[in-house]
Amino acid sequence: MDSIVVRGGKPLSGQIEIAGAKNAALTLMPATLLSDEPLTLTNTPRLSDIKTMTLLLESLGAEISSLQDGKVQTMSCHGAINTTADYDIVRKMRASNLVLGPLLAREGHAIVSLPGGCAIGARPMDIHTDGLAKMGAEIDLKDGYLHAKADGGKLKGAVIDFPFASVGATENIMMAATLAKGTTVINNAAREPEIVDLATCLRKMGAQIEGDGTSSITIQGVDRLHGATHPVVTDRIELGTYMLAPVIAGGEVECLGGRMSLVASFAEKLDAAGVDVQETKAGLKVKLRGDRPHAVDVTTEPFPGFPTDLQAQMMAMLCFADGTSVLEEKIFENRFMHAPELVRMGADIEVHGGTATVTGVDRMKGAPVMATDLRASVSLILAGLRAEGETQVNRVYHLDRGYEDVAGKLGGVGADIERVPGS
Ligand code: EPU
């Protein structure tokens, strides 16, 4: 298995191009099931999760072609649709559950495997299924699969109050509601930029949606959706990750395509830590004001709060900060798996439940490390940019799920980093 080797201590300088958002693409792709005309996505990131979604959609009957090495994807569901999403694909990636709403809306029935838990938490689907039930779906669990059927073959609009602003449930219900009979209102909806991106694309396909980006979204069902072309929004998590690279390694980096509105709460914390973030014509330019960042306390929250998907990377920065920081993880119950690995590199971190206390140290030392999820893996690479000696990050398949060519992007701005093929 491949690994990434980083030798720390090189300040960075230059530009990094930020790709389209994984989590936007993973919800835009299933939207193709809502129409029999082609949907073309541009600015699609080249990631293994996108390949998994491609396989899943193909297994359901989509025809998918790609151009520009996968950056442009055209998907078409003009033929017969298979309504069963198989466990073998769904277990590889939780976002596979995003086919449930579209399948149910299009065909009136669907069988979708429950994805099961993952390294960061149990991640149930009750908010998705309760919402669809309100729209008239009957949903039973049999042999690990959700069997869903719309009463009378068609979903009906409903007022749905979410107990928590779940990103995936907002996406699933929003897609399902585009073809439902009548009006659906989602209260306490998620407000992430990926939701706004999905709504923008669905509107291009003929959907009637209002309120995306606020906590109440209204969808007026229509009879059919048509084809469209849509550019995937910039990946705010990849953006935040690379914004941290010059803060940790030293130097200055401009993240091309970055916008402050995508990372406002994160940039506020960077400012408090002594980091300059400047909006340029092309993106965001980042530089640490002193030698070490200051300690800052961080609590993860749904958007527009501090994103859970940047918590591990922020921890890597706080390991070198001047003072003690408290990180509270409020979205996932088990998202500190990177902490013991950072400790192996010399960090001072104590974890109690959902709270991590990080006392910054002067120096860390490279070590062989491994992580159990995507964001944890990249946090170890970030720490390796400043640690003395060599850090070897194993299990690179986690990284490949969500980061395009990490070694190329960081190497391009002066990091000493390489991908080493496994035996
Ligand atoms: N939850 C429930 N019931 C549900 C749905 C969610 O209890 O029916 C709980 C989850 O267990 C979790 C919390 O609600 O504790 C948040 O889950 P949410 O549904 O908002 O997350 P998601 O849709 O499963 C997406 C991203 C995640 C990101 C979260 C939070 C995609 C494909 N995934 O997951 O991305 O962390 O929103 O922002 O969009 C990543 O990219 O590394 C990643 C994990």
Side-chain angles (χ1 to χ4, degrees):
M1 219 174 288
D2 293 3
S3 58
I4 299 271
V5 173
V6 194
R7 283 167 284 268
K10 292 254 168 131
L12 310 182
S13 165
Q15 298 176 319
I16 297 179
E17 192 161 331
I18 306 301
K22 164 180 87 81
N23 289 346
L26 289 176
T27 185
L28 289 162
M29 290 176 75
T32 193
L33 291 163
L34 295 166
S35 172
D36 53 12
E37 291 181 18
L39 172 63
T40 297
L41 297 179
T42 60
N43 198 34
T44 310
R46 283 148 307 176
L47 303 169
S48 64
D49 270 8
I50 300 298
K51 287 194 186 132
T52 306
M53 184 56 87
T54 301
L55 284 180
L56 174 61
L57 292 173
E58 284 175 342
S59 79
L60 300 178
E63 283 174 18
I64 303 185
S65 58
S66 63
L67 289 171
Q68 290 180 28
D69 193 24
K71 228 174 161 179
V72 176
Q73 300 247 22
T74 298
M75 298 160 287
S76 176
C77 293
H78 55 83
I81 290 295
N82 162 27
T83 51
T84 302
D86 211 73
Y87 177 62
D88 272 349
I89 301 183
V90 176
R91 72 184 165 82
K92 290 192 187 138
M93 184 182 69
R94 290 193 51 86
S96 304
N97 64 26
L98 292 169
V99 300
L100 177 61
L103 282 177
L104 201 47
R106 178 180 176 132
E107 299 291 323
H109 56 92
I111 302 176
V112 175
S113 171
L114 263 186
C118 73
I120 59 177
R123 305 181 76 178
M125 276 193 69
D126 54 322
I127 305 176
H128 305 237
T129 51
D130 289 355
L132 292 169
K134 273 216 133 183
M135 297 175 75
E138 233 179 71
I139 303 180
D140 295 314
L141 180 63
K142 280 184 222 154
D143 305 325
Y145 282 76
L146 292 170
H147 291 243
K149 213 178 206 174
D151 185 24
K154 197 166 170 73
L155 292 170
K156 294 175 198 64
V159 176
I160 301 165
D161 299 312
F162 280 169
F164 177 83
S166 156
V167 173
T170 303
E171 293 164 344
N172 242 332
I173 300 293
M174 199 160 78
M175 287 191 277
T178 57
L179 294 178
K181 191 167 183 295
T183 305
T184 300
V185 179
I186 308 172
N187 290 320
N188 197 19
R191 289 181 280 166
E192 272 68 3
E194 293 76 25
I195 306 279
V196 175
D197 203 38
L198 174 63
T200 306
C201 176
L202 291 171
R203 274 192 290 269
K204 286 182 193 164
M205 295 169 73
Q208 294 195 11
I209 303 175
E210 279 174 17
D212 45 296
T214 75
S215 47
S216 182
I217 303 178
T218 303
I219 307 111
Q220 176 74 52
V222 295
D223 285 341
R224 66 181 295 274
L225 296 184
H226 50 76
T229 297
H230 180 78
V232 179
V233 68
T234 301
D235 194 319
R236 64 196 165 94
I237 306 302
E238 194 197 24
L239 171 62
T241 302
Y242 288 126
M243 285 169 73
L244 286 169
V247 180
I248 293 172
E252 183 175 77
V253 166
E254 186 174 21
C255 295
L256 301 178
R259 279 182 283 127
M260 198 63 109
S261 57
L262 291 171
V263 285
S265 58
F266 169 70
E268 248 173 54
K269 288 292 174 189
L270 288 188
D271 182 49
V275 179
D276 270 337
V277 180
Q278 191 195 334
E279 204 156 22
T280 63
K281 262 195 183 154
L284 296 178
K285 214 179 238 183
V286 185
K287 186 180 175 18
L288 178 64
R289 289 194 281 270
D291 289 341
R292 285 172 73 182
H294 308 306
V296 284
D297 294 342
V298 170
T299 301
T300 63
E301 288 169 355
F303 193 85
F306 190 99
T308 173
D309 293 344
L310 283 173
Q311 177 260 108
Q313 302 88 314
M314 191 71 172
M315 185 185 281
M317 180 194 94
L318 295 174
C319 287
F320 299 101
D322 189 4
T324 297
S325 312
V326 177
L327 279 165
E328 279 193 75
E329 173 54 57
K330 296 273 195 195
I331 308 293
F332 292 109
E333 63 271 26
N334 188 29
R335 212 175 195 184
F336 283 136
M337 299 300 281
H338 40 285
E341 297 298 305
L342 289 166
V343 167
R344 295 188 61 246
M345 297 171 69
D348 179 351
I349 307 170
E350 275 182 35
V351 175
H352 293 288
T355 304
T357 306
V358 185
T359 301
V361 294
D362 262 345
R363 302 161 60 198
M364 280 168 68
K365 288 196 174 148
V369 284
M370 62 170 77
T372 44
D373 78 272
L374 165 62
R375 309 302 173 188
S377 306
V378 84
S379 76
L380 300 173
I381 292 182
L382 288 176
L385 293 173
R386 181 149 173 165
E388 290 164 16
E390 191 170 286
T391 298
Q392 179 166 16
V393 182
N394 295 303
R395 296 192 183 167
V396 167
Y397 58 86
H398 288 300
L399 274 173
D400 292 338
R401 293 187 59 181
Y403 290 92
E404 225 182 78
D405 191 18
V406 183
K409 288 192 180 188
L410 286 172
V413 291
D416 184 349
I417 180 168
E418 62 182 318
R419 184 175 180 126
V420 180
S423 46

